[in-house]
Structure formats: C-alpha cells, structure tokens
Amino acid sequence: MKKTFQLTHPKIKYPRMIEAVKAEVRKYLKRNRRKTLPEGFDYWDFDCKYGDTEAEAKKIHLSEIDKHIEQAEKSELESFYIEIIGRAAKRLKK
C-alpha cells in the first residue's frame, strides 16, 4: 500500500477520518497476513514509511504506525503519506 490520506472532507468530521485511516491500515495488514507464504518462509514482515508527503517519508517500524497517525491528529495535518510493503521473512535463531 502506497497512499496519501486526505483528512479533510466537507461532511465527515476529522476524528472519524483518523479512525477510517487506522481501520484501512489494519484491514490491509490483516489481508496480507492471510496470504499463503512461499516455501521456506515463516511469517510476513512489513517495510513501512511515514511522512507528511511521499518525498519526506522516513522508514518506521510497523508498531509505530498508530503513534504517527495519532501525532498527525494532534498536529491536525490535512494529509499524510503511508507506505506498507509486505515481504516474506524467515525467523533467525538466537
């Protein structure tokens, strides 16, 4: 998923737009995790980027997406960019 989310709408209030973005991200992750893994891989890993624009996007960890969306809500941004790319990965033994 590579998407710039617009948070302004004439009829939908700002907090509902934020909730819709979070729901769409979770739905995307859930759908990708259901895909069958290629032979020899253990789980789906995700490469994530977040930024105010696509050019400013920086790499973040998957668990930090909600924090960045909440931060965008606090600073009342009109839009932001999220990129989530799934890839198969294999667990490393410790």
Side-chain angles (χ1 to χ4, degrees), residues 5 7 17-26 69 80 82:
F5 289 97
L7 301 175
M17 295 293 288
I18 294 292
E19 287 178 17
V21 169
K22 287 181 182 180
E24 188 172 338
V25 167
R26 288 184 193 119
I69 293 173
F80 59 86
I82 290 182

Side-chain angles (χ1 to χ4, degrees), residues 3-18:
K3 188 170 182 179
T4 300
F5 289 97
Q6 299 296 327
L7 301 175
T8 56
H9 192 276
K11 293 185 180 181
I12 302 174
K13 295 188 173 155
Y14 194 78
R16 301 299 79 79
M17 295 293 288
I18 294 292

Side-chain angles (χ1 to χ4, degrees), residues 24-83:
E24 188 172 338
V25 167
R26 288 184 193 119
K27 184 177 176 181
Y28 177 80
L29 293 171
K30 192 173 184 180
R31 184 173 48 232
N32 275 337
R33 285 183 176 133
R34 281 195 312 255
K35 291 181 181 177
T36 57
L37 284 165
E39 190 69 32
F41 291 98
D42 298 329
Y43 69 103
W44 288 106
D45 195 14
F46 297 94
D47 297 324
C48 306
K49 289 184 179 181
Y50 173 87
D52 295 342
T53 63
E54 186 174 355
E56 297 175 2
K58 294 182 181 177
K59 191 173 183 177
I60 62 170
H61 192 268
L62 179 63
S63 63
E64 298 173 346
I65 289 179
D66 274 351
K67 294 174 190 173
H68 285 322
I69 293 173
E70 290 169 5
Q71 185 179 10
E73 181 180 15
K74 289 178 184 174
S75 57
E76 296 181 4
L77 296 177
E78 291 184 9
S79 66
F80 59 86
Y81 174 80
I82 290 182
E83 179 178 321

